[in-house]
Amino acid sequence: MKVTNLCKTYATKTGEKVHALKNVSFDLPSSGMVVILGKSGCGKSTLLNILGGLDRFDSGDVECFGKSLMSLSRKELDNYRNFFVGFVFQEYHLIPELDVAENIALPLQLQGETDTEEKVKSALQQVGMVGFDKRKVEELSGGQKQRVAIARALVKDPKIILADEPTGALDSHSGENILKILKWISQEKLVVLVTHDREFAEQYGDRIIELADGVVMSDSDRSYQETDTEEKAKLQKSRLPIKTAFKIGRSNFQHHRNRLTWTILLSVIAFSLLALSLSVAFLNPAHVFCREIIRSDMELTAIYKLHWYRPENVVDQSLDRFLGDDGRYNEDVPMTMEDVEFLKSLTGNSYSLVYTDLVFSFQDYIAASLNQQNEARRQNPEICYANCADGYIAMTEEECEKLGLTVIGELPKNAGEVAINECLFNIFAIKGLIEGGTIFELSSYEDIIGHKIPVHPGRIISNGPYYSSDPSRIKTITGVVITGCSRKCFNEHYAPEDRSTSQNWETYHEKIFVCEDYFDEYTYALCAIPQDRTELKEMVNFILGYEENNLSYTFVNKLSDGFYDSLEAASLLKMLFIYLSVIFLFFAMLLLSNYIFSSMQRQTKQIGILSALGAGFGDLCKVYGSAIVALCSMIAAITLVLQVLTTGWFNNYLQSITRYLRFSLVRLNLPASLLLIGVIAAVAAAGCLIPLIHIRKFNPTAIINKGQIK
Ligand code: ADP
Ligand code: MG
């Protein structure tokens, strides 16, 4: 080992320059005890750290085993420490999480050796500590600790042992013991001992190099041995086994257990909410619909065609609830053969066209609709199906007479005409009738005859913004049928609190009266539900996604009301949950990374010791990464379990706030789960890597003396 013109300058925090070493040069033999002697602050430690590859220098060079330390990269310097240098520190720097044998085995493990037992035993023997292998570090005296530290330096059979005031913290008896051991080692290896104690130096040193203010004052050069037998160095990569890495790293989490518990708890809550938010955000409506259709065993579904339009005269604000998200209304429009052909070409399904089922001949009608209504009310008492314009009825004058209904004006005679019921008239009478943007006041039944109103097949008609723009839907009013239901009577029967008592209500009170040939158009297409899952998905995707020229298609079946209803809820929730996701994500990341970061900070010294022993960046990542990965895996696992519960709870909640939803809308889905795991992994990686990268900017001794790291 050859040191030439070594210079090292430190910059202090105040900006002052300290010349710790000035042009230091000497040769070192391959064995023997070389003592570097000098007063405190003269540069001894600086010199030793440079020789051991723990610190960089400004100029000059250190040549050993055919390599110049100046030219080594950071990685190579790690490996140099790992394979060639055994360091003994004044404060021992053992790792408290590991027992004696494990501390000693550490450098071997860093070298990638797995079978360490024999070597550890022999190292313990050399320092006179046989039988102490399972002891904990805290249970040892200072002298014993230092002997373990020497064994740790010895075990990897390094070329040189560097000892920086190894007796500084010991009583004189233990100190002498240590020096004797080092002296004995120096028969075979080069031992460089730093001390300020001249007596020790003269007693044990084969050669004394005296430093003062960074300059070599004297060099005894006693019993100097030539160094020409030096072999060339081969630098190998260090490899720490995961098991040891985990053992050191997990100690991170053994302190401050309360804080750890809180962190896990809060992180799990935050991540669970994140998971739920992601499940909602990644909700695939087509997927949900298909799943429910398959589960329902439905064989047929109706497809209606919808026309979307913007109302021109918005008079009645209460009808705003019919407005879609985009400020448009929709109305059913007739299905044609062209629609059928189009649907067929796209979805490969066959369709049949159907007339609306809301036209009944009189006799069948009353019985059927009464049953229907009773059944509907029984299933869903909070919903009132009836209103003053729900469905159509074709009645003759004789039939009206038989029921005691009076017709003011006439019953309709062709498809362009309708007669309205008394209730509907009363509503128009209160609100006024809008026709072509003008509001007409009505004072008697006769006043409404000849006016035009929009009529939707199978749907309500209304005197407001829900106003058809399709001219074929505009019908002329020919008369008013007095059903014996006044406005007051209507309110009595349909007021929310009285709904349950209106069971015997004869439903012609709410019908639009039309003639037999009123419907000459198909209302919807009926098609078989594909048995093949992918075909069904394609069809559902198409129907849900299609809109052209303000025309779209929609499913009408026993699931569709709930489905579209919940879609609306879901699309609102989706936005909300995307924002919530970001907030929870931020919160969870902050919480977890803060914990990881601060626990890493507590471990700064350990990182320094491991670096000093030659652990590379990869090893350090293993040490801290393995524990963090374990922590994060635990959080991820609990979160995924909780996800099942929160999803269940959320589905119940959704069902309670939506009217028709009868199925679970939100499902655990793969993208959400993967993203969640990804986020946790990213937090783990960042929490581990950022502090490590920061710390690695400093040399190992600086890291050990923590104070120097901001
Ligand atoms: P010794 O080990 O002989 O007591 P050192 O080698 O530790 O002395 O220090 C030599 C000189 O360099 C001292 O003046 C010390 O104050 C200075 N020094 C050591 N380390 C640093 C540092 N990281 N920053 C600034 N000055 C330092
Ligand atoms: Mg010192």
Side-chain angles (χ1 to χ4, degrees):
M1 186 177 254
K2 192 183 174 96
V3 177
T4 32
N5 295 326
L6 200 61
C7 292
K8 168 82 182 176
T9 311
Y10 287 110
T12 58
K13 276 173 198 156
T14 51
E16 258 178 275
K17 281 197 172 166
V18 179
H19 297 280
L21 295 175
K22 299 170 213 162
N23 281 317
V24 173
S25 303
F26 52 81
D27 279 0
L28 287 178
S30 58
S31 68
M33 173 86 108
V34 176
V35 179
I36 294 172
L37 179 68
K39 289 193 187 114
S40 175
C42 69
K44 305 183 296 292
S45 295
T46 307
L47 177 60
L48 205 67
N49 289 345
I50 290 173
L51 294 183
L54 292 179
D55 210 345
R56 294 288 200 172
F57 44 94
D58 304 325
S59 65
D61 207 350
V62 178
E63 207 183 293
C64 52
F65 317 111
K67 299 230 176 225
S68 129
L69 287 193
M70 190 64 142
S71 69
L72 293 188
S73 72
R74 172 150 215 144
K75 245 191 199 157
E76 289 171 319
L77 212 55
D78 289 338
N79 296 334
Y80 167 74
R81 285 201 297 279
N82 196 348
F83 286 90
F84 294 96
V85 186
F87 233 100
V88 180
F89 303 92
Q90 184 175 341
E91 293 88 11
Y92 335 117
H93 294 335
L94 298 174
I95 293 183
E97 286 75 28
L98 303 179
D99 66 23
V100 167
E102 287 168 333
N103 262 289
I104 296 172
L106 194 59
L108 290 175
Q109 293 184 318
L110 281 171
Q111 290 182 344
E113 248 178 78
T114 45
D115 197 20
T116 58
E117 208 173 312
E118 279 306 307
K119 289 189 178 174
V120 169
K121 277 218 170 100
S122 121
L124 276 170
Q125 205 172 7
Q126 291 181 61
V127 297
M129 292 281 286
V130 176
F132 281 84
D133 45 355
K134 291 290 164 239
R135 281 284 195 95
K136 282 190 177 163
V137 171
E138 308 100 86
E139 295 165 354
L140 301 177
S141 73
Q144 288 171 331
K145 279 185 195 164
Q146 197 57 296
R147 280 195 269 165
V148 172
I150 293 172
R152 181 178 63 181
L154 266 182
V155 76
K156 58 182 169 181
D157 194 21
K159 302 289 179 210
I160 43 172
I161 299 235
L162 302 175
D164 192 353
E165 312 230 17
T167 60
L170 302 175
D171 61 83
S172 58
H173 176 70
S174 315
E176 261 176 72
N177 250 333
I178 294 298
L179 290 177
K180 273 179 194 153
I181 292 168
L182 289 174
K183 180 73 185 176
W184 179 72
I185 292 166
S186 74
Q187 288 170 0
E188 281 179 12
K189 293 187 186 305
L190 174 62
V191 175
V192 181
L193 173 75
V194 158
T195 185
H196 61 270
D197 190 321
R198 188 172 293 275
E199 216 175 291
F200 275 154
E202 280 169 358
Q203 192 180 344
Y204 292 97
D206 296 322
R207 174 180 170 193
I208 298 172
I209 298 171
E210 198 169 347
L211 281 188
D213 284 335
V215 178
V216 179
M217 293 297 290
S218 69
D219 188 341
S220 72
D221 208 359
R222 280 199 273 162
S223 63
Y224 179 77
Q225 291 166 3
E226 258 315 315
T227 61
D228 53 5
T229 52
E230 273 182 13
E231 46 190 299
K232 291 263 178 195
K234 244 172 66 198
L235 296 179
Q236 273 173 277
K237 209 175 164 307
S238 66
R239 275 171 290 150
L240 187 66
I242 278 287
K243 208 176 138 196
T244 316
F246 181 66
K247 195 158 183 183
I248 304 172
R250 92 183 158 187
S251 69
N252 250 345
F253 305 111
Q254 279 164 353
H255 312 290
H256 303 281
R257 282 182 187 253
N258 271 348
R259 196 171 159 201
L260 177 64
T261 314
W262 276 111
T263 304
I264 291 176
L265 203 72
L266 290 174
S267 304
V268 162
I269 292 173
F271 278 121
S272 296
L273 289 169
L274 174 64
L276 180 62
S277 307
L278 290 175
S279 296
V280 178
F282 279 105
L283 191 78
N284 181 342
H287 203 94
V288 176
F289 199 35
C290 288
R291 190 186 71 214
E292 293 306 319
I293 287 177
I294 290 165
R295 205 188 271 174
S296 73
D297 290 332
M298 273 192 313
E299 285 175 357
L300 292 169
T301 181
I303 294 174
Y304 279 64
K305 192 177 177 185
L306 295 181
H307 172 233
W308 295 87
Y309 62 97
R310 281 174 207 286
E312 277 155 26
N313 301 299
V314 180
V315 175
D316 188 347
Q317 299 294 332
S318 72
L319 289 162
D320 278 356
R321 66 199 166 90
F322 293 109
L323 262 181
D325 285 341
D326 53 357
R328 297 189 301 174
Y329 296 88
N330 66 61
E331 59 178 343
D332 303 339
V333 289
M335 274 278 192
T336 61
M337 282 313 289
E338 279 158 42
D339 289 315
V340 168
E341 288 305 317
F342 177 60
L343 286 171
K344 206 168 160 182
S345 72
L346 284 160
T347 63
N349 213 330
S350 58
Y351 298 79
S352 47
L353 288 172
V354 182
Y355 287 112
T356 182
D357 58 353
L358 288 170
V359 177
F360 297 90
S361 68
F362 173 67
Q363 271 85 358
D364 301 336
Y365 177 69
I366 293 197
S369 65
L370 272 178
N371 285 339
Q372 251 179 16
Q373 291 225 346
N374 290 344
E375 178 60 14
R377 287 208 175 93
R378 199 179 56 72
Q379 283 183 357
N380 227 335
E382 75 272 22
I383 296 168
C384 177
Y385 281 90
N387 60 40
C388 54
D390 193 1
Y392 302 83
I393 193 162
M395 258 195 212
T396 60
E397 273 170 41
E398 296 83 69
E399 285 167 338
C400 286
E401 215 171 299
K402 222 154 101 187
L403 276 171
L405 311 182
T406 317
V407 181
I408 312 285
E410 286 178 346
L411 286 173
K413 290 196 179 59
N414 61 53
E417 297 175 343
V418 294
I420 62 171
N421 61 59
E422 191 183 357
C423 303
L424 185 55
F425 174 84
N426 286 332
I427 289 176
F428 286 136
I430 291 165
K431 297 199 176 232
L433 179 82
I434 301 170
E435 193 186 329
T438 315
I439 302 179
F440 293 93
E441 303 285 334
L442 307 172
S443 51
S444 72
Y445 294 128
E446 282 80 8
D447 286 351
I448 203 166
I449 293 170
H451 280 294
K452 289 178 165 52
I453 56 165
V455 176
H456 300 252
R459 288 283 198 95
I460 65 159
I461 62 165
S462 162
N463 182 30
Y466 194 63
Y467 192 98
S468 179
S469 54
D470 177 357
S472 73
R473 300 265 156 240
I474 310 292
K475 309 288 180 186
T476 307
I477 297 170
T478 57
V480 179
V481 180
I482 310 299
T483 60
C485 174
S486 64
R487 167 98 189 137
K488 180 171 167 290
C489 158
F490 179 83
N491 278 339
E492 273 169 13
H493 282 281
Y494 291 101
E497 58 274 20
D498 288 331
R499 270 178 207 150
S500 57
T501 64
S502 59
Q503 283 184 7
N504 294 321
W505 186 245
E506 289 174 344
T507 51
Y508 49 78
H509 294 293
E510 63 191 27
K511 296 301 169 211
I512 300 292
F513 294 81
V514 296
C515 68
E516 286 287 356
D517 61 353
Y518 177 81
F519 289 99
D520 53 357
E521 297 156 327
Y522 298 106
T523 311
Y524 59 88
L526 197 64
C527 75
I529 289 170
Q531 293 304 299
D532 182 82
R533 202 175 268 252
T534 31
E535 270 179 43
L536 174 64
K537 260 185 204 167
E538 271 171 34
M539 176 180 164
V540 168
N541 272 323
F542 170 75
I543 299 288
L544 293 182
Y546 177 82
E547 190 192 320
E548 226 162 76
N549 299 327
N550 295 324
L551 291 172
S552 71
Y553 297 103
T554 184
F555 285 104
V556 177
N557 54 44
K558 66 176 176 183
L559 289 173
S560 55
D561 268 356
F563 176 67
Y564 287 108
D565 201 32
S566 56
L567 265 197
E568 210 172 296
S571 73
L572 281 175
L573 287 168
K574 215 163 164 163
M575 276 324 290
L576 177 72
F577 274 81
I578 287 171
Y579 289 123
L580 283 179
S581 296
V582 174
I583 294 169
F584 288 132
L585 179 69
F586 190 71
F587 182 65
M589 279 173 68
L590 203 70
L591 204 69
L592 195 57
S593 54
N594 176 275
Y595 180 79
I596 292 173
F597 196 84
S598 66
S599 70
M600 293 281 292
Q601 291 247 293
R602 283 200 300 276
Q603 299 275 309
T604 312
K605 192 173 169 187
Q606 307 262 41
I607 297 172
I609 296 172
L610 285 168
S611 306
L613 291 178
F617 188 67
D619 296 317
L620 293 176
C621 285
K622 263 190 231 166
V623 170
Y624 298 98
S626 61
I628 290 167
V629 164
L631 172 73
C632 291
S633 311
M634 181 162 94
I635 290 176
I638 302 176
T639 305
L640 289 177
V641 171
L642 267 186
Q643 210 185 346
V644 179
L645 301 179
T646 45
T647 322
W649 165 81
F650 189 69
N651 276 321
N652 287 343
Y653 175 69
L654 269 189
Q655 292 191 11
S656 74
I657 59 165
T658 49
R659 280 183 304 162
Y660 303 104
L661 190 60
R662 291 284 173 271
F663 50 84
S664 301
L665 186 65
V666 183
R667 271 285 169 113
L668 295 185
N669 53 48
L670 196 62
S673 299
L674 287 181
L675 193 68
L676 181 78
I677 291 170
V679 164
I680 297 180
V683 172
C688 172
L689 288 178
I690 293 169
L692 274 187
I693 289 170
H694 172 70
I695 279 177
R696 286 275 292 184
K697 285 190 204 132
F698 303 89
N699 65 54
T701 38
I703 300 172
I704 295 173
N705 304 327
K706 240 175 169 179
Q708 293 172 31
I709 295 166
K710 277 159 250 150

